[in-house]
Amino acid sequence: MRLLAHNDGRELRGNERQLLLLARGLRERGHDVVISCRAGGALEAALAGADVETTPIRPRGDLALPSAVAFRALVARRRPDAVLLT
């Protein structure tokens, strides 16, 4: 399975920890997991230690059209079986 998940949190809190556990568990079972998160953030650092791929390409809000277009291109390129937006 190919999963693309997004999390925009600045800190490693509940939602981020849940995503970390999910990504790590799926990765350990052989699934292709990519997490869209803040570059240089706490979640990116935690995922690097879990051997989970991250990307800074992420949707950034209703009026941020360039980032929405870039995220759509990422989805088209990766062709995930599921997209999780948190």
Side-chain angles (χ1 to χ4, degrees):
M1 179 176 78
R2 293 181 310 270
L3 172 69
L4 172 61
H6 164 264
N7 183 288
D8 202 31
R10 294 180 188 270
E11 300 173 13
L12 198 59
R13 299 182 68 163
N15 195 25
E16 293 77 22
R17 290 180 193 281
Q18 290 176 17
L19 183 55
L20 173 62
L21 291 172
L22 174 68
R24 183 183 299 149
L26 288 172
R27 179 74 182 101
E28 289 172 355
R29 288 166 180 81
H31 298 286
D32 178 22
V33 179
V34 178
I35 306 298
S36 162
C37 60
R38 293 177 181 266
L43 181 57
E44 181 188 52
L47 289 165
D51 192 33
V52 175
E53 182 182 351
T54 63
T55 179
I57 300 171
R58 66 192 204 284
R60 296 175 186 243
D62 294 340
L63 298 178
L65 294 179
S67 63
V69 169
F71 189 75
R72 174 63 185 110
L74 175 66
V75 170
R77 189 170 55 253
R78 298 301 298 238
R79 298 184 47 152
D81 295 308
V83 177
L84 175 62
L85 303 172
T86 64

